[in-house]
Amino acid sequence: MPETPDGTSRSRAVQLNREFNAQVAWTGATKCDTCGRASYACSDNTGNWNGGVQSFADPLPSGWVATEVFVNIAARGYDGGISTVRMNNLALGTFTLPARPLFSCGFCVPQAVKYVAGDQSGLPGYQYGALNTLTLRTEKTNCFATADIRIQAGRPLLTFNPAKVSFGSVAVGASATQKVTLTNEGVAPLVIRSLNVTSASPFGLTPVTLPFTLKPRSSLDVNVTFSPKVDRADSGMLTVVSSDPDLPQLRISLEGTGGAAKLQLSPTSLDFDDVRVGTSKNLPLQLKNVGNQPLTIPAVLTQPPFSVTGLPAGGVVLQPGSGLPLTVTFTATAGDANQPLYIQSQGSTTPLAEVALHGTGIEPAIFVAATAMDFGVHTAGIDSVHQTLTVNNMGQADLIITAFDVAAPFSVEAGLPLIIKAREQVDLTVAFAPVAGRVTKDLILRSNDVNHPAFKVSLSGTGVEVPALQVTASDGGTALAFGAREVNSVSTPQTLTLKNVGAGTLVVEPIQAPTGFAVTPTARLSLAPGATTQVQVTFEPAHTAQFTQELTLSADGPGGSTRAVPLSGQGVEGKLTATPAALSFSRTEVGSSSKAVQVTLVNAGTDSISISTIAVAGPFSVVLPELPKVLTPRDAFTMEVTFSPLEDGPVAGALRVFSNTPSSPTVVKLEGDGLQAIARMASDVLEFGGQRLGTVSTPREFTLFNTGSEALNVTAVNVTGPFLISGLNVGTSVPVLGNRTFQVSYKPTEATAENGVLEVQSNAPRAAQVTLRGTGTTASIEASVTTLAFGPQFLGTNPQRVVELRNTGTSPITLTGLDPVDGFSVSGLPRPHQLEAGTSHAFSVAFEPPRSGEYAGSLALRHDASATPLMIAVQGTGVQQALTVTPGAIAFGNQRVNATSQALPLELVNTGNVPVTVQVTSSDAAFQVDTRAVTEAIPAGGRASVSVTFHPTSTGTVRGEVRVVPSGGGLAPTVVPVEGIGESVTVEGSGCSVGGAGGAGLLAMWLLAMGMLRRGRRLR
């Protein structure tokens, strides 16, 4: 696309494929006027002579490439046979002529041959812009007149982008680079012959190797650099010379201005401070050109949430001293925003200037930790119950609560609107006015938080009707009557059942028994909804009188109230008394008995008393009199009571004497304290896990506790199984509530699970036992191979073999070290490395011979199991190829065209220590190599001789090379230059040579004449 005055490019409408024609006419010794052709070139039937050789001028315009050739030959057959058509030694094709009688003219028969080039580079060997040779080779005697040649050709088409390169302003001493893309839009290769820019200008090119061939539909990027030395505007030209027929010379204008970017910004940064989310804020930005050159600003760039306005579409050119006002807008989003604003410069990817932009988007953010409030259960109809709801503003802007959407029996005690400052909180009072039953409502907090404009808090509460405490006596009534009871005696208890029939937990306050009565328990009671409990009431008159009282039960909680239970009883003078009324025994060891303590029963009345039964409750015994026993007034008898504790700790009992008195039975309270040592182990089972056979585990600490009230004395320590005990012996004493630590070890005897029992006997009533458990494990390691034989390996190679280690035991094995062997290396095997039981680990062994020769040894892998180290034998041989080729070059001298020279030898000697396989090739068909001597490998120290011959097909010097390429071993190919000169054949007496001007035709006529003479002789 050639350049137009305005710097843009215009398209070129060109034909990419065309057909061109050429024609040749053979001249020869035979003429036949009746054949419609003026002359023929005929050949004999020797088959050795090119039946016709004719040159024709290249009909293609410059830049066009031949892609297909079609040859139509006017021919007449005599003996028939196959004829071969060649162009510049390239075989185009063959055709067969039908045989005709000798010297029968007849008509010429058109014969067609077509050849298509293998790729877009064109016909091999075609001479563009020069003479080309069309050759016919025949098997029989035939004649030829003219040949019409049609050549299909394609052309390259150079396009480029951009049509003009403008660098804008570039600082003096700096450089800017832009790219010019050259593209071949044609169907034939495009050759770029030269690339240059205007000399003595500040423009330069990145070097490109020339000539450069562009395949069809491919591109070349040319980097043009502008490096100004002074402050001024410069221009230049990029010139491209190519093989494009219509555009052999392309010129692309270059321009740029030298001078530092001199842009003044006011201000140099913009801070928008706090802006509410969803709103915008504008700030001005002033640009001014304070330099002496025009300043092109194509764009001003930034990213959301910032934007800029004020730059005209397509950019602006600021003249020296002029300015440009811009407006920068921050459209706030939540949080801090930091973005750069870039002032772009013409022709450069580096920004001309940068302005830092900052702004913070603020918004309110409601946060309520409690999303649900349960007011619990309360008595219906009482005053409202209050709870606090804390509302936080986690944002940076004021949170405005505009409404509380809530329904009765709930309410919020706060005025509206409610403003909460940023990062502050407000406590709201939420009220619940209890009504009967459970109520659930939602409290909706409506605010200006755009993310949570309606925040929901679930409210619930339960109201209970009064009363919720139900009190029932054992007879179903609501009063307790105890009747007559002797003074200072205790009646049989009567039971009151308390039940919470409400929906909330009731708390019964501590019970205060009225005078003459006792209550158990007296402590505060808690009753869940539907729960019951019992209270025991006894009558204990201190004097003779009628006792009429009320037992008050006060319940707090939902439905709580005060209930009164009437109590009544008559205190009368007693007749049978016990002295003392209670017996306390000294501390007594379990299994023994205390000293006897006496208690005396006295008939203090005026009538006789009959004692029928005496009963003892608890670990106490009494020496009984003969029953029944009658006591007359003022009579008495004494009994002895003994304490025999059965367990450790305090114990209580009672001595009851049953008689015919109204207050029967007479009760004597009994109490004592048992002493006993109690042995207890820290746990029931001690696990040791796996332990390798032949080893002893690390001692495990274990503890024997005495939780009794007497010192624990060890009398025997028994252990079964393969376990060892230390630190605990017979005679060891453990104080009250003390402990003794000892050690237990495990020494396995079999590779299986093993159990044992440790039993400690003492003065405690029961022996302390612990079950001991462990598992005997084995350690065994093996390798997947015991020997690695690498065999011969070339120097510089490093073949690798994989070895797998397997832990065939039942315990882990630690790999600790590896002893290396010269020439061998190991990878993938860290040390130390633990190999778990039943697992495997693979690593690699590489053979890297540093020199030729034998290498052998054993890799010793050390580990913590038995049979260490594990040995892996390694063996290999380092080998090296070496080959000498003589001579270094071959010159054949002059050799007749189409004849084969005498063979010259190429000697190959293997000077290495391994056989070498080679491939010998020739770069030119004129030089032939006989490779039969190298079909097999050349043994170490052996040699082979390869014959090379020269067979020229045209006159002149022929150069090529013979390549000796070894396979494997890292040897480089050996290149032997070869050269020969093809010379023409001289026909004696003619004065012409076949290879020279006119010689071909003369030789052809001579051979034709000789053939006709032989034919004539045969006819006669």
Side-chain angles (χ1 to χ4, degrees):
M1 292 180 282
E3 187 182 343
T4 59
D6 61 357
T8 61
S9 58
R10 56 182 175 85
S11 61
R12 290 186 286 130
V14 296
Q15 184 177 3
L16 297 179
N17 292 284
R18 287 177 56 190
E19 186 178 277
F20 303 91
N21 297 297
Q23 188 181 70
V24 300
W26 280 275
T27 59
T30 304
K31 298 180 184 291
C32 183
D33 295 334
T34 63
C35 291
R37 296 290 184 180
S39 62
Y40 284 82
C42 298
S43 65
D44 65 6
N45 59 357
T46 64
N48 293 322
W49 174 68
N50 288 334
V53 179
Q54 184 65 44
S55 296
F56 65 93
D58 173 27
L60 304 180
S62 175
W64 290 76
V65 177
T67 58
E68 181 181 306
V69 62
F70 179 83
V71 181
N72 192 17
I73 302 173
R76 184 178 66 183
Y78 286 117
D79 293 340
I82 299 174
S83 297
T84 301
V85 182
R86 303 175 70 88
M87 180 181 291
N88 298 341
N89 270 340
L90 173 67
L92 302 182
T94 62
F95 59 84
T96 303
L97 284 173
R100 291 182 178 276
L102 184 63
F103 299 121
S104 172
C105 286
F107 293 97
C108 293
V109 179
Q111 301 292 331
V113 172
K114 182 179 180 180
Y115 179 85
V116 179
D119 54 43
Q120 295 171 328
S121 61
L123 299 177
Y126 190 83
Q127 303 297 316
Y128 294 99
L131 292 177
N132 292 275
T133 301
L134 187 69
T135 304
L136 296 177
R137 183 185 296 274
T138 65
E139 286 185 333
K140 304 293 183 179
T141 302
N142 297 298
C143 296
F144 310 93
T146 61
D148 295 321
I149 304 170
R150 296 198 303 275
I151 298 176
Q152 185 74 25
R155 59 155 293 163
L157 177 62
L158 175 62
T159 62
F160 55 94
N161 183 52
K164 181 179 182 180
V165 180
S166 179
F167 288 88
S169 297
V170 178
V172 173
S175 295
T177 300
Q178 293 203 41
K179 179 176 66 177
V180 175
T181 301
L182 304 178
T183 304
N184 180 7
E185 298 288 351
V187 296
L190 174 74
V191 178
I192 298 176
R193 299 188 174 93
S194 70
L195 284 167
N196 57 74
V197 295
T198 305
S199 60
S201 70
F203 301 97
L205 290 176
T206 300
V208 176
T209 302
L210 299 174
F212 187 90
T213 300
L214 269 178
K215 294 182 179 180
R217 304 299 177 186
S218 62
S219 300
L220 171 66
D221 289 336
V222 178
N223 291 321
V224 184
T225 303
F226 176 46
S227 304
K229 305 300 181 184
V230 294
D231 287 356
R232 71 181 182 195
D234 283 290
S235 62
M237 195 69 66
L238 168 63
T239 303
V240 183
V241 178
S242 70
S243 62
D244 186 323
D246 289 345
L247 192 60
Q249 186 177 80
L250 167 65
R251 294 168 62 84
I252 299 175
S253 62
L254 312 173
E255 63 179 27
T257 300
K262 297 178 181 179
L263 178 67
Q264 184 182 75
L265 301 176
S266 179
T268 58
S269 64
L270 294 176
D271 191 342
F272 290 82
D273 295 324
D274 294 340
V275 179
R276 185 181 293 275
V277 173
T279 62
S280 298
K281 181 178 180 180
N282 299 326
L283 290 178
L285 176 64
Q286 181 71 28
L287 310 183
K288 185 176 181 180
N289 181 1
V290 295
N292 58 0
Q293 297 290 336
L295 182 61
T296 301
I297 300 178
V300 179
L301 305 176
T302 188
Q303 293 184 359
F306 300 97
S307 60
V308 61
T309 57
L311 182 71
V316 68
V317 178
L318 289 182
Q319 298 301 323
S322 64
L324 175 67
L326 300 177
T327 299
V328 184
T329 302
F330 172 44
T331 302
T333 58
D336 283 340
N338 293 279
Q339 291 288 347
L341 182 144
Y342 294 118
I343 312 298
Q344 298 295 101
S345 61
Q346 181 70 24
S348 175
T349 59
T350 303
L352 182 62
E354 179 179 338
V355 179
L357 307 180
H358 173 263
T360 302
I362 61 173
E363 61 180 347
I366 190 171
F367 174 77
V368 181
T371 58
M373 299 178 68
D374 189 350
F375 285 81
V377 182
H378 299 279
T379 304
I382 66 172
D383 294 338
S384 296
V385 180
H386 298 87
Q387 287 194 29
T388 298
L389 178 66
T390 301
V391 181
N392 293 270
N393 179 5
M394 306 300 290
Q396 302 88 4
D398 289 349
L399 175 69
I400 303 174
I401 299 178
T402 56
F404 302 117
D405 292 349
V406 65
F410 300 97
S411 61
V412 178
E413 298 176 358
L416 292 174
L418 177 62
I419 299 176
I420 305 176
K421 297 294 184 180
R423 304 298 183 182
E424 293 185 1
Q425 66 182 35
V426 169
D427 291 335
L428 298 179
T429 300
V430 183
F432 169 51
V435 295
R438 183 165 180 80
V439 181
T440 301
K441 300 290 183 179
D442 286 335
L443 166 62
I444 306 297
L445 304 178
R446 301 193 182 276
S447 69
N448 61 337
D449 183 344
V450 296
N451 298 312
H452 302 91
F455 193 95
K456 183 177 76 172
V457 179
S458 298
L459 306 178
S460 59
T462 303
V464 179
E465 295 285 356
V466 179
L469 179 64
Q470 184 183 80
V471 182
T472 307
S474 55
D475 60 357
T478 58
L480 296 178
F482 288 89
R485 188 68 190 173
E486 292 179 3
V487 173
N488 294 325
S489 68
V490 179
S491 70
T492 301
Q494 293 194 42
T495 302
L496 288 177
T497 300
L498 311 184
K499 182 177 182 181
N500 181 2
V501 296
T505 299
L506 285 179
V507 176
V508 180
E509 294 298 327
I511 303 174
Q512 183 68 39
T515 302
F517 298 90
V519 178
T520 304
T522 60
R524 179 180 285 108
L525 302 174
S526 178
L527 287 177
T532 62
T533 190
Q534 291 183 336
V535 174
Q536 304 292 326
V537 182
T538 57
F539 178 41
E540 302 177 2
H543 55 273
T544 58
Q546 176 67 40
F547 291 85
T548 302
Q549 303 284 355
E550 282 191 347
L551 177 65
T552 301
L553 302 174
S554 298
D556 293 332
S561 60
T562 300
R563 305 296 304 276
V565 178
L567 304 178
S568 63
Q570 178 70 39
V572 297
E573 185 67 33
K575 293 183 178 182
L576 183 63
T577 62
T579 304
L583 299 180
S584 179
F585 293 84
S586 61
R587 302 182 71 184
T588 304
E589 188 174 339
V590 174
S592 63
S593 297
S594 69
K595 293 181 180 181
V597 178
Q598 292 183 342
V599 61
T600 300
L601 296 177
V602 178
N603 181 358
T606 57
D607 294 333
S608 296
I609 297 175
S610 177
I611 299 174
S612 58
T613 304
I614 299 176
V616 178
F620 302 90
S621 60
V622 62
V623 179
L624 296 175
E626 184 177 350
L627 297 175
K629 184 176 179 64
V630 177
L631 291 179
T632 60
R634 306 300 176 182
D635 195 5
F637 77 94
T638 299
M639 295 183 294
E640 290 186 344
V641 183
T642 304
F643 174 42
S644 302
L646 300 177
E647 60 184 12
D648 184 77
V651 64
L655 173 65
R656 290 183 173 83
V657 180
F658 295 90
S659 64
N660 58 349
T661 63
S663 59
S664 179
T666 301
V667 178
V668 179
K669 294 181 179 179
L670 308 176
E671 61 181 21
D673 197 354
L675 295 178
Q676 185 179 40
I678 300 177
R680 183 175 62 82
M681 291 293 189
S683 64
D684 295 333
V685 179
L686 180 57
E687 295 279 0
F688 283 87
Q691 183 67 33
R692 193 175 296 174
L693 290 178
T695 64
V696 179
S697 72
T698 302
R700 297 279 299 277
E701 285 197 346
F702 207 64
T703 304
L704 173 65
F705 293 92
N706 178 10
T707 61
S709 57
E710 185 179 19
L712 176 70
N713 298 315
V714 177
T715 59
V717 179
N718 303 318
V719 63
T720 62
F723 301 92
L724 306 175
I725 308 299
S726 62
L728 185 66
N729 305 306
V730 174
T732 298
S733 179
V734 183
V736 175
L737 300 180
N739 62 78
R740 180 64 178 265
T741 300
F742 58 96
Q743 293 76 40
V744 185
S745 301
Y746 171 45
K747 185 178 181 180
T749 58
E750 298 182 8
T752 184
E754 298 180 291
N755 297 326
V757 175
L758 168 63
E759 181 182 75
V760 179
Q761 297 179 353
S762 64
N763 59 329
R766 290 184 296 275
Q769 287 187 343
V770 58
T771 300
L772 307 177
R773 296 176 182 171
T775 302
T777 62
T778 59
S780 178
I781 188 172
E782 64 180 28
S784 58
V785 295
T786 58
T787 301
L788 292 176
F790 287 86
Q793 299 295 333
F794 290 115
L795 301 186
T797 61
N798 59 340
Q800 297 188 7
R801 305 286 176 82
V802 176
V803 179
E804 184 179 46
L805 299 176
R806 293 186 291 269
N807 183 350
T808 58
T810 57
S811 64
I813 295 176
T814 300
L815 310 178
T816 57
L818 179 70
D819 296 338
V821 177
D822 182 35
F824 300 88
S825 63
V826 173
S827 61
L829 185 62
R831 295 171 303 276
H833 176 69
Q834 182 167 292
L835 191 61
E836 299 296 332
T839 64
S840 61
H841 179 81
F843 66 96
S844 298
V845 180
F847 177 39
E848 304 175 279
R851 57 193 175 278
S852 59
E854 296 290 335
Y855 293 82
S858 292
L859 296 171
L861 178 61
R862 296 188 298 278
H863 51 82
D864 65 347
S866 58
T868 185
L870 176 66
M871 308 298 287
I872 302 174
V874 290
Q875 180 273 330
T877 303
V879 296
Q880 185 174 17
Q881 287 186 348
L883 184 70
T884 61
V885 180
T886 56
I890 298 176
F892 285 93
N894 294 341
Q895 176 63 36
R896 191 181 63 189
V897 173
N898 291 324
T900 303
S901 72
Q902 180 181 358
L904 295 180
L906 192 63
E907 297 295 332
L908 282 63
V909 179
N910 182 355
T911 57
N913 60 352
V914 290
V916 178
T917 300
V918 299
Q919 182 182 12
V920 184
T921 60
S922 171
S923 65
D924 195 294
F927 302 98
Q928 302 293 325
V929 292
D930 186 352
T931 60
R932 287 176 294 177
V934 291
T935 55
E936 301 291 338
I938 305 173
R943 64 177 58 235
S945 180
V946 176
S947 297
V948 184
T949 58
F950 177 41
H951 185 91
T953 58
S954 61
T955 60
T957 300
V958 182
R959 294 183 178 88
E961 58 184 34
V962 174
R963 297 174 64 86
V964 180
V965 183
S967 61
L971 283 184
T974 300
V975 179
V976 179
V978 291
E979 181 180 302
I981 302 173
E983 65 178 5
S984 61
V985 179
T986 301
V987 180
E988 294 184 4
S990 68
C992 298
S993 298
V994 173
L1002 182 60
L1003 181 58
M1005 290 188 292
W1006 179 77
L1007 292 175
L1008 180 59
M1010 294 300 293
M1012 294 176 63
L1013 180 59
R1014 288 194 297 272
R1015 284 177 177 273
R1017 289 174 179 171
R1018 288 198 301 270
L1019 291 174
R1020 288 195 299 268

